[in-house]
mmCIF file of all heavy atoms in Angstrom:
data_model
loop_
_atom_site.group_PDB
_atom_site.id
_atom_site.type_symbol
_atom_site.label_atom_id
_atom_site.label_comp_id
_atom_site.label_asym_id
_atom_site.label_seq_id
_atom_site.Cartn_x
_atom_site.Cartn_y
_atom_site.Cartn_z
ATOM 1 N N MET C 1 -4.550 19.037 9.317
ATOM 2 C CA MET C 1 -4.685 17.564 8.928
ATOM 3 C C MET C 1 -5.069 16.738 10.283
ATOM 4 O O MET C 1 -4.464 16.982 11.238
ATOM 5 C CB MET C 1 -3.381 16.865 8.428
ATOM 6 C CG MET C 1 -3.659 15.428 8.045
ATOM 7 S SD MET C 1 -2.228 14.768 7.133
ATOM 8 C CE MET C 1 -2.876 13.405 6.441
ATOM 9 N N VAL C 2 -6.194 16.129 10.153
ATOM 10 C CA VAL C 2 -6.637 15.306 11.404
ATOM 11 C C VAL C 2 -5.758 14.101 11.523
ATOM 12 O O VAL C 2 -5.490 13.365 10.560
ATOM 13 C CB VAL C 2 -8.117 14.867 11.080
ATOM 14 C CG1 VAL C 2 -8.547 13.998 12.279
ATOM 15 C CG2 VAL C 2 -8.977 15.952 10.933
ATOM 16 N N THR C 3 -5.261 13.881 12.743
ATOM 17 C CA THR C 3 -4.404 12.771 12.997
ATOM 18 C C THR C 3 -4.964 11.864 14.002
ATOM 19 O O THR C 3 -4.306 11.045 14.569
ATOM 20 C CB THR C 3 -3.094 13.317 13.600
ATOM 21 O OG1 THR C 3 -3.342 14.149 14.727
ATOM 22 C CG2 THR C 3 -2.308 14.146 12.553
ATOM 23 N N SER C 4 -6.298 11.840 14.145
ATOM 24 C CA SER C 4 -6.975 10.956 15.004
ATOM 25 C C SER C 4 -6.691 9.509 14.528
ATOM 26 O O SER C 4 -6.667 9.199 13.389
ATOM 27 C CB SER C 4 -8.447 11.152 15.011
ATOM 28 O OG SER C 4 -9.092 10.178 15.654
ATOM 29 N N SER C 5 -6.448 8.605 15.594
ATOM 30 C CA SER C 5 -6.276 7.187 15.186
ATOM 31 C C SER C 5 -7.588 6.560 14.644
ATOM 32 O O SER C 5 -7.577 5.583 13.998
ATOM 33 C CB SER C 5 -5.717 6.433 16.317
ATOM 34 O OG SER C 5 -6.575 6.456 17.377
ATOM 35 N N LEU C 6 -8.688 7.280 15.032
ATOM 36 C CA LEU C 6 -9.980 6.735 14.465
ATOM 37 C C LEU C 6 -10.311 7.108 13.218
ATOM 38 O O LEU C 6 -10.281 8.412 12.930
ATOM 39 C CB LEU C 6 -11.082 6.927 15.562
ATOM 40 C CG LEU C 6 -10.882 6.311 16.907
ATOM 41 C CD1 LEU C 6 -11.981 6.770 17.901
ATOM 42 C CD2 LEU C 6 -10.964 4.880 16.926
ATOM 43 N N GLY C 7 -10.619 6.249 12.247
ATOM 44 C CA GLY C 7 -11.026 6.767 10.966
ATOM 45 C C GLY C 7 -9.758 7.150 10.136
ATOM 46 O O GLY C 7 -10.084 7.818 9.095
ATOM 47 N N MET C 8 -8.689 6.861 10.477
ATOM 48 C CA MET C 8 -7.508 7.357 9.682
ATOM 49 C C MET C 8 -7.488 6.641 8.341
ATOM 50 O O MET C 8 -7.594 5.431 8.248
ATOM 51 C CB MET C 8 -6.234 7.103 10.530
ATOM 52 C CG MET C 8 -4.977 7.718 9.783
ATOM 53 S SD MET C 8 -3.552 7.420 10.837
ATOM 54 C CE MET C 8 -3.432 5.697 10.967
ATOM 55 N N ASN C 9 -7.408 7.495 7.360
ATOM 56 C CA ASN C 9 -7.280 6.923 5.991
ATOM 57 C C ASN C 9 -5.878 6.663 5.645
ATOM 58 O O ASN C 9 -5.035 7.526 5.637
ATOM 59 C CB ASN C 9 -7.919 7.943 5.011
ATOM 60 C CG ASN C 9 -8.077 7.225 3.680
ATOM 61 O OD1 ASN C 9 -7.234 6.380 3.236
ATOM 62 N ND2 ASN C 9 -9.081 7.571 2.881
ATOM 63 N N VAL C 10 -5.512 5.415 5.302
ATOM 64 C CA VAL C 10 -4.123 5.012 4.969
ATOM 65 C C VAL C 10 -3.555 5.996 3.790
ATOM 66 O O VAL C 10 -2.427 6.350 3.843
ATOM 67 C CB VAL C 10 -4.043 3.592 4.527
ATOM 68 C CG1 VAL C 10 -2.654 3.296 3.901
ATOM 69 C CG2 VAL C 10 -4.301 2.699 5.728
ATOM 70 N N ALA C 11 -4.518 6.343 2.874
ATOM 71 C CA ALA C 11 -4.066 7.024 1.677
ATOM 72 C C ALA C 11 -3.613 8.408 2.122
ATOM 73 O O ALA C 11 -2.918 9.090 1.300
ATOM 74 C CB ALA C 11 -5.068 7.075 0.669
ATOM 75 N N ASN C 12 -4.030 8.845 3.320
ATOM 76 C CA ASN C 12 -3.764 10.234 3.667
ATOM 77 C C ASN C 12 -2.716 10.277 4.712
ATOM 78 O O ASN C 12 -2.317 11.245 5.300
ATOM 79 C CB ASN C 12 -4.979 10.939 4.239
ATOM 80 C CG ASN C 12 -5.934 11.200 3.184
ATOM 81 O OD1 ASN C 12 -5.736 11.426 1.934
ATOM 82 N ND2 ASN C 12 -7.221 11.266 3.560
ATOM 83 N N THR C 13 -2.030 9.136 4.998
ATOM 84 C CA THR C 13 -0.981 9.080 6.009
ATOM 85 C C THR C 13 0.285 9.434 5.334
ATOM 86 O O THR C 13 0.745 8.986 4.256
ATOM 87 C CB THR C 13 -0.826 7.554 6.459
ATOM 88 O OG1 THR C 13 -2.113 7.089 6.947
ATOM 89 C CG2 THR C 13 0.329 7.404 7.489
ATOM 90 N N PRO C 14 1.042 10.458 6.003
ATOM 91 C CA PRO C 14 2.275 10.828 5.427
ATOM 92 C C PRO C 14 3.182 9.764 5.299
ATOM 93 O O PRO C 14 3.389 8.802 6.144
ATOM 94 C CB PRO C 14 2.835 11.709 6.555
ATOM 95 C CG PRO C 14 1.571 12.206 7.269
ATOM 96 C CD PRO C 14 0.651 11.037 7.141
ATOM 97 N N GLY C 15 3.902 9.692 4.090
ATOM 98 C CA GLY C 15 4.814 8.619 3.890
ATOM 99 C C GLY C 15 4.275 7.359 3.178
ATOM 100 O O GLY C 15 4.821 6.472 2.783
ATOM 101 N N SER C 16 2.947 7.526 2.949
ATOM 102 C CA SER C 16 2.377 6.333 2.242
ATOM 103 C C SER C 16 2.421 6.502 0.916
ATOM 104 O O SER C 16 2.670 7.523 0.256
ATOM 105 C CB SER C 16 0.822 6.298 2.627
ATOM 106 O OG SER C 16 0.148 7.376 2.017
ATOM 107 N N VAL C 17 2.491 5.336 0.090
ATOM 108 C CA VAL C 17 2.622 5.325 -1.320
ATOM 109 C C VAL C 17 1.546 4.536 -1.924
ATOM 110 O O VAL C 17 1.012 3.574 -1.340
ATOM 111 C CB VAL C 17 4.043 4.754 -1.738
ATOM 112 C CG1 VAL C 17 5.091 5.671 -1.181
ATOM 113 C CG2 VAL C 17 4.159 3.315 -1.140
ATOM 114 N N SER C 18 1.174 4.849 -3.141
ATOM 115 C CA SER C 18 0.142 3.990 -3.871
ATOM 116 C C SER C 18 0.751 3.914 -5.286
ATOM 117 O O SER C 18 1.432 4.714 -5.892
ATOM 118 C CB SER C 18 -1.141 4.690 -3.913
ATOM 119 O OG SER C 18 -1.139 6.013 -4.509
ATOM 120 N N PHE C 19 0.506 2.780 -5.813
ATOM 121 C CA PHE C 19 1.049 2.345 -7.202
ATOM 122 C C PHE C 19 0.186 1.308 -7.791
ATOM 123 O O PHE C 19 -0.464 0.595 -7.047
ATOM 124 C CB PHE C 19 2.476 1.991 -7.131
ATOM 125 C CG PHE C 19 2.730 0.811 -6.151
ATOM 126 C CD1 PHE C 19 2.722 -0.503 -6.608
ATOM 127 C CD2 PHE C 19 2.995 1.147 -4.718
ATOM 128 C CE1 PHE C 19 3.004 -1.500 -5.627
ATOM 129 C CE2 PHE C 19 3.207 0.097 -3.818
ATOM 130 C CZ PHE C 19 3.219 -1.291 -4.238
ATOM 131 N N LEU C 20 0.245 1.157 -9.006
ATOM 132 C CA LEU C 20 -0.501 0.112 -9.736
ATOM 133 C C LEU C 20 0.271 -1.169 -9.586
ATOM 134 O O LEU C 20 1.562 -1.229 -9.539
ATOM 135 C CB LEU C 20 -0.660 0.479 -11.226
ATOM 136 C CG LEU C 20 -1.785 1.484 -11.493
ATOM 137 C CD1 LEU C 20 -1.671 1.868 -13.038
ATOM 138 C CD2 LEU C 20 -3.132 1.096 -11.195
ATOM 139 N N CYS C 21 -0.493 -2.295 -9.544
ATOM 140 C CA CYS C 21 0.013 -3.641 -9.502
ATOM 141 C C CYS C 21 1.179 -3.698 -10.738
ATOM 142 O O CYS C 21 0.758 -3.459 -11.744
ATOM 143 C CB CYS C 21 -1.030 -4.644 -9.611
ATOM 144 S SG CYS C 21 -0.234 -6.315 -9.806
ATOM 145 N N PRO C 22 2.376 -4.112 -10.332
ATOM 146 C CA PRO C 22 3.352 -4.112 -11.498
ATOM 147 C C PRO C 22 3.100 -5.298 -12.351
ATOM 148 O O PRO C 22 3.831 -5.432 -13.449
ATOM 149 C CB PRO C 22 4.714 -4.360 -10.662
ATOM 150 C CG PRO C 22 4.295 -4.940 -9.348
ATOM 151 C CD PRO C 22 2.910 -4.328 -8.986
ATOM 152 N N LYS C 23 2.328 -6.177 -12.006
ATOM 153 C CA LYS C 23 2.074 -7.357 -12.948
ATOM 154 C C LYS C 23 0.893 -7.126 -13.761
ATOM 155 O O LYS C 23 0.861 -7.281 -15.103
ATOM 156 C CB LYS C 23 1.783 -8.539 -11.941
ATOM 157 C CG LYS C 23 1.646 -9.890 -12.784
ATOM 158 C CD LYS C 23 1.474 -11.118 -11.905
ATOM 159 C CE LYS C 23 1.359 -12.395 -12.806
ATOM 160 N NZ LYS C 23 1.293 -13.629 -11.985
ATOM 161 N N CYS C 24 -0.305 -6.807 -13.264
ATOM 162 C CA CYS C 24 -1.504 -6.690 -14.101
ATOM 163 C C CYS C 24 -1.915 -5.176 -14.226
ATOM 164 O O CYS C 24 -2.626 -4.840 -15.218
ATOM 165 C CB CYS C 24 -2.656 -7.410 -13.400
ATOM 166 S SG CYS C 24 -3.185 -6.796 -11.863
ATOM 167 N N GLN C 25 -1.264 -4.297 -13.479
ATOM 168 C CA GLN C 25 -1.649 -2.887 -13.550
ATOM 169 C C GLN C 25 -3.221 -2.607 -13.561
ATOM 170 O O GLN C 25 -3.654 -1.756 -14.190
ATOM 171 C CB GLN C 25 -0.979 -2.213 -14.857
ATOM 172 C CG GLN C 25 0.518 -2.443 -14.834
ATOM 173 C CD GLN C 25 1.315 -1.620 -15.830
ATOM 174 O OE1 GLN C 25 0.662 -1.247 -16.729
ATOM 175 N NE2 GLN C 25 2.605 -1.553 -15.629
ATOM 176 N N GLN C 26 -3.902 -3.442 -12.877
ATOM 177 C CA GLN C 26 -5.443 -3.339 -12.725
ATOM 178 C C GLN C 26 -5.711 -2.734 -11.400
ATOM 179 O O GLN C 26 -6.815 -2.125 -11.203
ATOM 180 C CB GLN C 26 -5.954 -4.698 -12.937
ATOM 181 C CG GLN C 26 -5.729 -5.277 -14.345
ATOM 182 C CD GLN C 26 -6.646 -4.522 -15.338
ATOM 183 O OE1 GLN C 26 -7.810 -4.362 -15.203
ATOM 184 N NE2 GLN C 26 -5.971 -4.251 -16.524
ATOM 185 N N THR C 27 -5.000 -3.022 -10.397
ATOM 186 C CA THR C 27 -5.268 -2.600 -8.957
ATOM 187 C C THR C 27 -4.287 -1.633 -8.450
ATOM 188 O O THR C 27 -3.113 -1.848 -8.586
ATOM 189 C CB THR C 27 -5.282 -3.898 -8.129
ATOM 190 O OG1 THR C 27 -6.282 -4.794 -8.693
ATOM 191 C CG2 THR C 27 -5.658 -3.612 -6.767
ATOM 192 N N THR C 28 -4.826 -0.691 -7.769
ATOM 193 C CA THR C 28 -3.983 0.234 -7.024
ATOM 194 C C THR C 28 -3.618 -0.205 -5.613
ATOM 195 O O THR C 28 -4.578 -0.506 -4.882
ATOM 196 C CB THR C 28 -4.678 1.717 -6.923
ATOM 197 O OG1 THR C 28 -4.847 2.069 -8.206
ATOM 198 C CG2 THR C 28 -3.599 2.574 -6.187
ATOM 199 N N ILE C 29 -2.463 -0.415 -5.362
ATOM 200 C CA ILE C 29 -1.931 -0.890 -4.076
ATOM 201 C C ILE C 29 -1.390 0.311 -3.339
ATOM 202 O O ILE C 29 -0.808 1.100 -3.710
ATOM 203 C CB ILE C 29 -0.875 -1.949 -4.305
ATOM 204 C CG1 ILE C 29 -1.359 -3.223 -5.048
ATOM 205 C CG2 ILE C 29 -0.160 -2.351 -2.893
ATOM 206 C CD1 ILE C 29 -0.257 -4.063 -5.594
ATOM 207 N N VAL C 30 -1.971 0.341 -2.083
ATOM 208 C CA VAL C 30 -1.657 1.369 -1.154
ATOM 209 C C VAL C 30 -0.751 0.923 -0.049
ATOM 210 O O VAL C 30 -1.281 -0.090 0.623
ATOM 211 C CB VAL C 30 -2.811 2.224 -0.694
ATOM 212 C CG1 VAL C 30 -2.359 3.286 0.297
ATOM 213 C CG2 VAL C 30 -3.693 2.717 -1.734
ATOM 214 N N ARG C 31 0.304 1.415 0.326
ATOM 215 C CA ARG C 31 1.072 0.982 1.419
ATOM 216 C C ARG C 31 1.408 2.128 2.308
ATOM 217 O O ARG C 31 1.937 3.305 1.831
ATOM 218 C CB ARG C 31 2.455 0.351 0.833
ATOM 219 C CG ARG C 31 2.160 -0.713 -0.121
ATOM 220 C CD ARG C 31 3.479 -1.422 -0.341
ATOM 221 N NE ARG C 31 3.678 -2.411 0.812
ATOM 222 C CZ ARG C 31 4.993 -2.953 1.119
ATOM 223 N NH1 ARG C 31 5.994 -2.554 0.391
ATOM 224 N NH2 ARG C 31 5.132 -3.743 2.114
ATOM 225 N N ALA C 32 1.208 1.969 3.648
ATOM 226 C CA ALA C 32 1.541 2.930 4.594
ATOM 227 C C ALA C 32 3.053 2.856 4.796
ATOM 228 O O ALA C 32 3.721 1.822 4.736
ATOM 229 C CB ALA C 32 0.793 2.632 5.891
ATOM 230 N N ARG C 33 3.697 3.969 5.402
ATOM 231 C CA ARG C 33 5.051 4.084 5.676
ATOM 232 C C ARG C 33 5.399 2.887 6.669
ATOM 233 O O ARG C 33 6.297 2.263 6.425
ATOM 234 C CB ARG C 33 5.401 5.386 6.252
ATOM 235 C CG ARG C 33 6.865 5.416 6.622
ATOM 236 C CD ARG C 33 7.221 6.886 7.060
ATOM 237 N NE ARG C 33 6.323 7.248 8.229
ATOM 238 C CZ ARG C 33 6.395 8.515 8.725
ATOM 239 N NH1 ARG C 33 7.203 9.429 8.256
ATOM 240 N NH2 ARG C 33 5.713 8.786 9.697
ATOM 241 N N ASN C 34 4.572 2.702 7.620
ATOM 242 C CA ASN C 34 4.783 1.606 8.564
ATOM 243 C C ASN C 34 4.926 0.249 7.914
ATOM 244 O O ASN C 34 5.746 -0.528 8.316
ATOM 245 C CB ASN C 34 3.631 1.616 9.649
ATOM 246 C CG ASN C 34 3.936 0.465 10.658
ATOM 247 O OD1 ASN C 34 5.008 0.556 11.339
ATOM 248 N ND2 ASN C 34 2.990 -0.326 10.839
ATOM 249 N N GLU C 35 4.075 -0.017 6.957
ATOM 250 C CA GLU C 35 4.139 -1.235 6.270
ATOM 251 C C GLU C 35 5.401 -1.487 5.515
ATOM 252 O O GLU C 35 6.031 -2.622 5.430
ATOM 253 C CB GLU C 35 2.913 -1.398 5.321
ATOM 254 C CG GLU C 35 1.552 -1.439 5.992
ATOM 255 C CD GLU C 35 0.492 -1.465 5.148
ATOM 256 O OE1 GLU C 35 0.438 -0.804 4.129
ATOM 257 O OE2 GLU C 35 -0.515 -2.258 5.469
ATOM 258 N N ARG C 36 5.898 -0.388 5.001
ATOM 259 C CA ARG C 36 7.195 -0.466 4.248
ATOM 260 C C ARG C 36 8.293 -0.687 5.257
ATOM 261 O O ARG C 36 9.395 -1.375 5.004
ATOM 262 C CB ARG C 36 7.434 0.869 3.560
ATOM 263 C CG ARG C 36 6.548 0.965 2.278
ATOM 264 C CD ARG C 36 6.439 2.363 1.794
ATOM 265 N NE ARG C 36 7.738 2.847 1.348
ATOM 266 C CZ ARG C 36 8.003 4.197 1.289
ATOM 267 N NH1 ARG C 36 7.109 5.075 1.539
ATOM 268 N NH2 ARG C 36 9.178 4.524 0.900
ATOM 269 N N GLU C 37 8.225 -0.054 6.383
ATOM 270 C CA GLU C 37 9.368 -0.101 7.439
ATOM 271 C C GLU C 37 9.468 -1.511 7.882
ATOM 272 O O GLU C 37 10.574 -1.964 8.260
ATOM 273 C CB GLU C 37 9.105 0.883 8.559
ATOM 274 C CG GLU C 37 9.399 2.261 8.115
ATOM 275 C CD GLU C 37 8.967 3.272 9.169
ATOM 276 O OE1 GLU C 37 8.337 2.857 10.189
ATOM 277 O OE2 GLU C 37 9.421 4.402 9.010
ATOM 278 N N ILE C 38 8.335 -2.233 8.057
ATOM 279 C CA ILE C 38 8.387 -3.659 8.625
ATOM 280 C C ILE C 38 8.357 -4.589 7.358
ATOM 281 O O ILE C 38 8.378 -5.787 7.579
ATOM 282 C CB ILE C 38 7.129 -3.992 9.538
ATOM 283 C CG1 ILE C 38 5.890 -3.848 8.546
ATOM 284 C CG2 ILE C 38 7.120 -2.965 10.609
ATOM 285 C CD1 ILE C 38 4.636 -4.213 9.498
ATOM 286 N N ALA C 39 8.526 -4.105 6.117
ATOM 287 C CA ALA C 39 8.608 -4.867 4.979
ATOM 288 C C ALA C 39 7.468 -5.900 4.803
ATOM 289 O O ALA C 39 7.592 -7.025 4.431
ATOM 290 C CB ALA C 39 9.932 -5.694 4.991
ATOM 291 N N ALA C 40 6.266 -5.330 5.169
ATOM 292 C CA ALA C 40 5.075 -6.021 5.010
ATOM 293 C C ALA C 40 4.740 -6.397 3.522
ATOM 294 O O ALA C 40 4.989 -5.584 2.646
ATOM 295 C CB ALA C 40 3.849 -5.464 5.627
ATOM 296 N N LYS C 41 4.322 -7.604 3.240
ATOM 297 C CA LYS C 41 4.141 -7.920 1.847
ATOM 298 C C LYS C 41 2.640 -7.403 1.438
ATOM 299 O O LYS C 41 1.768 -7.339 2.342
ATOM 300 C CB LYS C 41 4.155 -9.411 1.680
ATOM 301 C CG LYS C 41 5.612 -9.953 1.684
ATOM 302 C CD LYS C 41 5.681 -11.333 1.304
ATOM 303 C CE LYS C 41 7.079 -11.802 1.281
ATOM 304 N NZ LYS C 41 7.239 -13.139 0.902
ATOM 305 N N PHE C 42 2.427 -7.223 0.191
ATOM 306 C CA PHE C 42 1.223 -6.805 -0.244
ATOM 307 C C PHE C 42 0.658 -7.892 -1.182
ATOM 308 O O PHE C 42 1.472 -8.661 -1.824
ATOM 309 C CB PHE C 42 1.114 -5.515 -1.006
ATOM 310 C CG PHE C 42 2.075 -5.471 -2.206
ATOM 311 C CD1 PHE C 42 1.571 -5.910 -3.403
ATOM 312 C CD2 PHE C 42 3.231 -4.846 -2.078
ATOM 313 C CE1 PHE C 42 2.448 -5.852 -4.582
ATOM 314 C CE2 PHE C 42 4.161 -4.897 -3.182
ATOM 315 C CZ PHE C 42 3.690 -5.302 -4.366
ATOM 316 N N THR C 43 -0.571 -8.055 -1.424
ATOM 317 C CA THR C 43 -1.235 -8.987 -2.368
ATOM 318 C C THR C 43 -2.088 -8.144 -3.253
ATOM 319 O O THR C 43 -3.001 -7.475 -2.878
ATOM 320 C CB THR C 43 -1.959 -10.091 -1.747
ATOM 321 O OG1 THR C 43 -0.947 -10.724 -0.837
ATOM 322 C CG2 THR C 43 -2.373 -11.094 -2.642
ATOM 323 N N CYS C 44 -1.938 -8.439 -4.610
ATOM 324 C CA CYS C 44 -2.920 -7.813 -5.528
ATOM 325 C C CYS C 44 -4.265 -8.540 -5.468
ATOM 326 O O CYS C 44 -4.237 -9.786 -5.625
ATOM 327 C CB CYS C 44 -2.303 -7.862 -6.997
ATOM 328 S SG CYS C 44 -3.401 -7.298 -8.272
ATOM 329 N N LYS C 45 -5.295 -7.823 -5.335
ATOM 330 C CA LYS C 45 -6.647 -8.519 -5.371
ATOM 331 C C LYS C 45 -7.011 -9.108 -6.709
ATOM 332 O O LYS C 45 -7.838 -10.017 -6.819
ATOM 333 C CB LYS C 45 -7.707 -7.476 -4.849
ATOM 334 C CG LYS C 45 -7.427 -7.005 -3.424
ATOM 335 C CD LYS C 45 -8.607 -6.099 -2.995
ATOM 336 C CE LYS C 45 -8.450 -5.653 -1.587
ATOM 337 N NZ LYS C 45 -7.228 -4.783 -1.418
ATOM 338 N N SER C 46 -6.378 -8.558 -7.757
ATOM 339 C CA SER C 46 -6.878 -8.990 -9.097
ATOM 340 C C SER C 46 -6.075 -10.158 -9.501
ATOM 341 O O SER C 46 -6.698 -11.134 -10.040
ATOM 342 C CB SER C 46 -6.666 -7.798 -10.019
ATOM 343 O OG SER C 46 -7.475 -6.748 -9.777
ATOM 344 N N CYS C 47 -4.764 -10.242 -9.491
ATOM 345 C CA CYS C 47 -3.998 -11.387 -9.973
ATOM 346 C C CYS C 47 -3.276 -12.092 -8.938
ATOM 347 O O CYS C 47 -2.722 -13.167 -9.311
ATOM 348 C CB CYS C 47 -3.018 -10.742 -11.077
ATOM 349 S SG CYS C 47 -1.675 -9.731 -10.353
ATOM 350 N N GLY C 48 -3.361 -11.693 -7.687
ATOM 351 C CA GLY C 48 -2.601 -12.387 -6.666
ATOM 352 C C GLY C 48 -1.127 -12.227 -6.559
ATOM 353 O O GLY C 48 -0.440 -12.839 -5.822
ATOM 354 N N PHE C 49 -0.642 -11.212 -7.262
ATOM 355 C CA PHE C 49 0.818 -10.832 -7.190
ATOM 356 C C PHE C 49 1.179 -10.500 -5.818
ATOM 357 O O PHE C 49 0.407 -9.673 -5.173
ATOM 358 C CB PHE C 49 1.077 -9.802 -8.178
ATOM 359 C CG PHE C 49 2.543 -9.314 -8.123
ATOM 360 C CD1 PHE C 49 3.643 -9.954 -8.891
ATOM 361 C CD2 PHE C 49 2.945 -8.183 -7.364
ATOM 362 C CE1 PHE C 49 4.864 -9.533 -8.768
ATOM 363 C CE2 PHE C 49 4.161 -7.793 -7.244
ATOM 364 C CZ PHE C 49 5.304 -8.376 -7.937
ATOM 365 N N THR C 50 2.304 -10.904 -5.290
ATOM 366 C CA THR C 50 2.661 -10.513 -4.050
ATOM 367 C C THR C 50 4.128 -10.142 -3.993
ATOM 368 O O THR C 50 4.879 -10.534 -4.895
ATOM 369 C CB THR C 50 2.558 -11.588 -2.909
ATOM 370 O OG1 THR C 50 3.389 -12.744 -3.301
ATOM 371 C CG2 THR C 50 1.176 -12.154 -2.867
ATOM 372 N N GLY C 51 4.462 -9.208 -3.116
ATOM 373 C CA GLY C 51 5.834 -8.764 -3.096
ATOM 374 C C GLY C 51 6.043 -7.464 -2.414
ATOM 375 O O GLY C 51 5.159 -6.632 -2.214
ATOM 376 N N PRO C 52 7.245 -7.188 -2.070
ATOM 377 C CA PRO C 52 7.505 -5.808 -1.472
ATOM 378 C C PRO C 52 8.077 -4.799 -2.599
ATOM 379 O O PRO C 52 8.236 -3.743 -2.260
ATOM 380 C CB PRO C 52 8.746 -6.219 -0.476
ATOM 381 C CG PRO C 52 9.365 -7.314 -1.198
ATOM 382 C CD PRO C 52 8.309 -8.050 -1.915
ATOM 383 N N ASN C 53 8.134 -5.261 -3.696
ATOM 384 C CA ASN C 53 8.638 -4.360 -4.761
ATOM 385 C C ASN C 53 7.641 -3.750 -5.486
ATOM 386 O O ASN C 53 7.445 -3.973 -6.774
ATOM 387 C CB ASN C 53 9.692 -5.208 -5.683
ATOM 388 C CG ASN C 53 8.968 -6.335 -6.376
ATOM 389 O OD1 ASN C 53 8.037 -6.857 -5.792
ATOM 390 N ND2 ASN C 53 9.552 -6.739 -7.591
HETATM 391 ZN ZN1 ZN R 1 -2.151 -7.536 -10.094
#
C-alpha cells in the first residue's frame, strides 16, 4: 500500500469509515480516522445534515 502523503485517498486510509447520510441516505460520507479522533464534524452535501454521529 502506497503511503505517500501526496495523492493519498481518504477512502484508502486505514481506520477511515464511510457511511450513508443518516438523514437522507443520499450521500456517502467518508471520514478519516484523524477526523474522528479530533471529533471533526461532517456536513451532508445533499441535505445539510451535520454531526459526529
Ligand atoms: Zn443527507
Side-chain angles (χ1 to χ4, degrees):
M1 185 175 194
V2 177
T3 55
S4 170
S5 61
L6 293 175
M8 184 173 64
N9 189 328
V10 171
N12 291 331
T13 303
S16 69
V17 295
S18 62
F19 53 94
L20 287 173
C21 171
K23 183 174 180 180
C24 68
Q25 301 189 348
Q26 296 285 314
T27 300
T28 300
I29 296 165
V30 179
R31 305 192 76 201
R33 180 173 57 185
N34 179 59
E35 292 176 322
R36 289 161 59 198
E37 288 177 346
I38 64 176
K41 291 187 176 182
F42 61 82
T43 302
C44 173
K45 295 181 179 66
S46 295
C47 70
F49 177 85
T50 62
N53 58 338

